[in-house]
């Protein structure tokens, strides 16, 4: 296995935190003691990611670091530790498919196969039209209704190929 | 105290101590990788697992505090099984490349694998391979070998204070790198080479040069700042291949600055002088010592006989040994000359009579760590004195207030409690305001804040550094610093840039005082006076005239005006070739015995690590023979120790020293035009450092460009390039706009070829747009 620094895709995307993002980050900073601004780093990264269409680039990591008085490598550590931060552009809809044990027992490999076949991409890839990204994730805590995936903030459970088609057909 | 039992032995341990420390004190070594006594505990490698009675599972000794009655087994079957299991896991991803790994032979993993590793791997799967960041010219990376102990990350964060390294990724994807794989800029970065327990981070300049077991370790004392860090020179076949720290808690602990570590790459440069050189009608020719020494002696004798002793002067670099300074001044004074000078980068001498016996801290570097208020004036402590800065940083982390009055806001690796950015001519004035505020007078915001912190402190310390030293305002700055110190019950530490300035002062290598501050019957000319009224004969010790003076142009004129010049020099120099008559090849401090006297007044003697190249000889021997050839009394020394003993006896005889009171130095007027700030790169301070290729490639190496505040840039018409200086003595340099520079100032690099003709970079300087 080769481990390379997956430095966030360099120059695309937004380069600054918007006024609105900064205001939102400030709300998080306010929750912590004044000398511990950096406690807001996870929230700040999420806000930056939302502002940038679902992924973090180099400039935004630097901007978050700068705003919270951290060094960029510290922020990169956080951004690369949690799998919900994206470091490459993602599609409008990020489909996070659980392939952990319960879902696997209940047929998540079929879910994966169907999605890959329908969208014409492999796990970890994005469709050429920028609509969908497929992502493999660990247990999302919805094992009772496995198999499942998450799109945006919504969980979709008890998946079958038909249900999957119906769900995707409703998305723009 | 807690009473515990380790391997059946009853041990008293300090409360709060970790098992690994208690065990080490009791003589039980516990294998470990991530633990380091100077760093916080990560407990990430798990190599130190031991069995503790009543604990269900083995516990990491580095992260388990002792408690009364604890019974610990470090080598029980259970402990050994745990240690061996951890080793097996560590070796899963570690490459089997010891034969081509620089760490081989001095690798913790290799050593412990012999004791705890299996003979055959059970891991048949593919190993992990990790890409290498390029951390710069000092540190070589081979990250596939990394075992994720995070010592390097913790060092850079906790001691270097820059947080430039990190461990992005998780689990198998975790790897050590810098942001975007860029160069590490910390002045202490080389220490990660020693800390890395495997061959992931190794010394780039030393790469593939030798095996650890081929090297001879020779103790030495670094001579690039006034700390005198203790180090080992590892030598092979007469060459110094690398430097490593030699533990000394009172001086450098277990660290070295990058300058002290990598300067030795400049030791064996091609332009070392190997043979005495004589000038005759046809130019320079090599000669033997038997010819060169009498010639040098004769030359000095002729000056003294024909022109008088006071027509002779001696100049020495500020990083020579105490013995050399002592003999140099003894020789000169015996010849009837009082003109002995080593303060080649000092811009002002008005307060020299009030100077203490020797510059420095006047206290142990360790004591800095317990300080509670520091005011740095004209002092870029972080780059001038990296390991003192580390002590100050530790104090700040413990709650001390660090403050600065400087012409540039240099990036600090700790927060400053108050800061003023003013032109060099205003440094003294800013101090005066602080003094006023301390006396209860009116003062501006920052001055008042500074006064308050100083007043509240038990032991305030005012650090006056090389930036102040290199200006024409030094006298006023020191005088005001004394006022502040008096008003707040603190002290002033003057820290010149020279590696052995304290020894030079103490040994009498100054024109106005004899050995140990004794009365000088005639006060000689200091450097500026010599520049103004040159003398007929010069004896130079260890100087590269074009780089070692604050005003190289004046230095060149001084050499030119002299009829006879005898130079003892380690490195060749065009100016010496142009003006000297005899050049005697000099051994550096790495090649001769000598003594460094550090900021704390600690005398540290060293022996040469290797022989000097060719015919080069230690300065004390050359000066001794010159003394003999000139028929002077008291030059019959057989060893450097004897010279040192004589100096010591003289110092002991002299007893207490009382300088004259500080003169009232008027506050200087700011020049009407743009004001120069000399920027001395930490990697320009002495001839050896300037010749170290890795240091010259590092980010702190001198850059041939000027920097000004945006407001001044605007007034100059925002040029890309500027002409600084007048007429023939001007230089065209790139201009960088930098809001950290005080408005009205231009920061100009000194000690580089491009600015050698400019004169002293202090006071008014003309600046204009260049085509
Ligand atoms: S590079 Fe060396 S010091 Fe740093 S984490 Fe890896 S093994 Fe430890
Ligand atoms: S295993 Fe899929 S949600 Fe828990
Ligand atoms: S030394 Fe204890 S866990 Fe690494």
């Amino acid at each position: 296995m080769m481990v390379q620094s997956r430095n966030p895709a360099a120059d695309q995307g937004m380069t600054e935190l918007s006024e609105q993002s900064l205001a939102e980050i400030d709300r998080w900073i306010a929750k912590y003691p004044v000398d511990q601004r950096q406690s807001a780093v996870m929230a700040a990264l999420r806000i930056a990611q939302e502002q940038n269409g679902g992924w973090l680039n180099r400039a935004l990591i630097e901007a978050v670091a700068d705003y919270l008085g951290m060094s960029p490598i510290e922020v990169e550590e956080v951004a690369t530790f949690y799998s919900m931060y994206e470091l490459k552009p993602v599609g409008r809809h990020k489909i996070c498919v659980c392939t952990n044990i319960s879902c696997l027992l209940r047929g998540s490999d079929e879910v994966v196969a169907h999605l890959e076949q329908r969208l014409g991409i492999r796990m970890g890839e994005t469709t050429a039209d920028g609509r969908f990204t497929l992502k493999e994730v660990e247990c999302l805590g919805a094992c009772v209704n496995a198999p499942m995936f998450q799109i945006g903030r919504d969980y979709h459970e008890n998946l079958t190929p038909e249900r999957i088609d119906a769900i995707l057909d409703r998305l723009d | 105290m807690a009473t515990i039992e380790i391997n059946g032995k009853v041990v008293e341990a300090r409360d709060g101590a970790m098992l690994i420390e208690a065990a080490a004190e009791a003589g039980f070594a516990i294998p470990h990788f991530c633990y380091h006594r100077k760093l916080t505990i990560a407990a990430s490698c798990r190599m130190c697992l031991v069995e503790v009675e009543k604990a269900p599972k083995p516990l990491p000794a580095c992260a388990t505090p002792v408690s009364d009655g604890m019974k610990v087994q470090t080598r029980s079957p259970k402990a050994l099984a745990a240690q061996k299991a951890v080793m097996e896991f560590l070796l899963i991803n570690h490459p089997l490349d010891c034969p081509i790994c620089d760490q081989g032979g001095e690798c913790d993993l290799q050593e412990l694998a012999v004791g705890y590793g299996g003979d055959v791997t059970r891991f048949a799967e593919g190993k992990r391979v990790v890409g290498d960041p390029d951390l710069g010219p000092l540190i070589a990376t081979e990250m596939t070998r990394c075992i994720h102990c995070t010592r390097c990350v913790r060092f850079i964060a906790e001691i270097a204070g820059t947080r430039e390294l990190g461990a992005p990724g998780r689990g198998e994807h975790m790897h050590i790198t810098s942001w975007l794989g860029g160069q590490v800029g910390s002045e202490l970065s080389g220490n990660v080479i020693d800390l890395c327990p495997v061959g992931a981070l190794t010394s780039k300049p030393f790469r593939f040069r030798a095996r650890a077991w081929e090297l001879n370790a020779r103790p030495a004392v670094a001579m690039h700042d006034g700390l005198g860090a203790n180090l080992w020179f590892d030598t092979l076949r007469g060459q110094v291949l690398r430097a490593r720290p030699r533990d000394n808690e009172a001086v450098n602990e277990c660290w070295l600055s990058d300058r002290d570590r990598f300067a030795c790459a400049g030791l064996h440069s091609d332009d070392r002088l190997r043979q005495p050189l004589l000038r005759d009608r046809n130019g320079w020719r090599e000669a033997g010592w038997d010819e060169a020494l009498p010639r040098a002696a004769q030359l000095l004798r002729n000056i003294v006989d024909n022109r008088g002793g006071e027509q002779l002067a001696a100049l020495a670099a500020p990083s020579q040994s105490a013995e050399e300074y002592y003999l140099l001044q003894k020789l000169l004074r015996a010849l009837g000359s009082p003109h002995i000078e080593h303060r080649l980068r000092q811009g002002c001498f008005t307060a020299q009579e009030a100077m203490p016996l020797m510059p420095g801290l006047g206290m142990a570097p360790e004591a800095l760590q317990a300080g509670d208020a520091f005011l740095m004036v004209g002092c870029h402590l972080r780059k001038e004195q990296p390991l003192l800065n580390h002590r100050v940083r530790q104090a700040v982390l413990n709650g001390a207030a660090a403050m600065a009055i400087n012409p540039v806001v240099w990036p600090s690796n700790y927060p400053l409690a108050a800061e003023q950015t003013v032109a060099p001519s205003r440094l003294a004035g800013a101090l005066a305001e602080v003094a006023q505020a301390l006396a209860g007078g009116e003062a501006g915001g920052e001055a008042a804040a500074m006064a308050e912190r100083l007043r509240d402190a038990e032991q305030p310390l005012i650090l006056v550094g090389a930036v102040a030293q290199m200006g024409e305002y030094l006298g006023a700055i020191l005088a005001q610093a004394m006022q502040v110190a008096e008003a707040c019950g603190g002290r002033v530490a003057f820290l010149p840039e020279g590696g052995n300035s304290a020894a030079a002062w103490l040994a009498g290598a100054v024109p106005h005082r004899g050995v140990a501050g004794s009365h000088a019957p005639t006060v000689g000319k200091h450097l500026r006076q010599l520049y103004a009224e040159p003398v007929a004969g010069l004896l130079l010790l260890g100087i590269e005239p074009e780089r070692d003076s604050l005003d190289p142009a004046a230095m060149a004129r001084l050499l030119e005006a002299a009829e006879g010049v005898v130079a003892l020099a380690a490195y060749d120099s065009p100016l010496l070739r142009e003006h000297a008559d005899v050049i005697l090849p000099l051994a550096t401090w790495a090649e001769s015995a000598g003594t460094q006297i550090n900021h704390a007044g600690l005398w540290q003697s060293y022996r040469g690590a290797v022989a000097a190249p060719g015919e080069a000889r230690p300065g004390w021997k050359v000066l001794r023979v010159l003394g003999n050839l000139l028929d002077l009394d008291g030059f019959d020394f057989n060893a450097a120790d004897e010279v040192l003993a004589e100096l010591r006896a003289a110092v002991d005889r002299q007893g207490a020293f009382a300088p004259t009171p500080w003169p009232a130095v008027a506050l200087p007027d700011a020049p009407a035009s743009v004001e120069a700030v000399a920027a001395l790169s930490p990697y320009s301070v002495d001839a050896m450092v300037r010749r170290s290729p890795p240091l010259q490639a590092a980010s702190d190496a001198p850059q041939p460009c000027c920097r000004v505040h945006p407001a001044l840039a605007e007034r100059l018409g925002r040029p890309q390039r500027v002409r600084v200086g007048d007429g023939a003595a001007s230089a065209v340099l790139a201009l960088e706009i930098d809001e950290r520079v005080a408005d009205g100032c231009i920061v100009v690099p000194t000690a580089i070829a491009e600015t050698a003709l400019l004169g002293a970079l202090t006071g008014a300087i003309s600046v204009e747009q260049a085509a």
Side-chain angles (χ1 to χ4, degrees), chain A residues 1-8 58 61-62 71-74 76-77 80-83, chain B residues 127-131 163-170 172-173 175 177-181:
Chain A
M1 187 195 89
M2 178 77 191
V3 179
Q4 277 287 7
S5 261
R6 282 187 309 143
N7 284 319
R58 185 153 116 186
I61 288 185
E62 277 171 357
S71 79
I73 187 84
E74 269 178 293
E76 189 190 348
E77 285 176 338
T80 54
F81 186 89
Y82 296 101
S83 58
Chain B
K127 287 182 183 244
R128 187 173 167 272
V129 177
V130 186
R163 198 54 163 99
E164 293 168 276
L165 291 179
R170 171 165 33 136
E172 226 185 7
H173 295 274
H175 59 285
T177 186
S178 52
W179 173 237
L180 306 176

Side-chain angles (χ1 to χ4, degrees), chain B residues 320-372:
Chain B
Q320 299 300 124
S321 70
E323 290 83 346
E324 287 168 326
Y325 291 131
Y326 177 72
L327 287 183
L328 182 70
Q329 63 84 32
K330 187 170 180 178
L331 185 88
L332 257 267
R333 294 197 158 112
L335 288 173
S337 164
H339 315 306
I340 303 122
E341 186 60 284
H342 77 281
R343 297 167 294 178
L344 308 183
R345 264 192 243 282
Q346 189 163 314
C348 164
F349 301 86
T350 47
Q352 64 177 11
E353 292 294 348
M355 287 293 289
L357 182 55
M358 53 183 172
L361 285 173
M363 61 160 130
E366 280 170 297
L368 279 184
Q369 233 158 299
D372 47 6

Side-chain angles (χ1 to χ4, degrees), chain B residues 405 420 422 425-435 447 450 484 667:
Chain B
I405 308 179
Q420 294 190 59
V422 298
S425 60
R426 281 271 308 130
L427 289 171
L431 274 170
E433 277 171 37
V434 176
M450 287 180 176
V484 172
L667 290 182

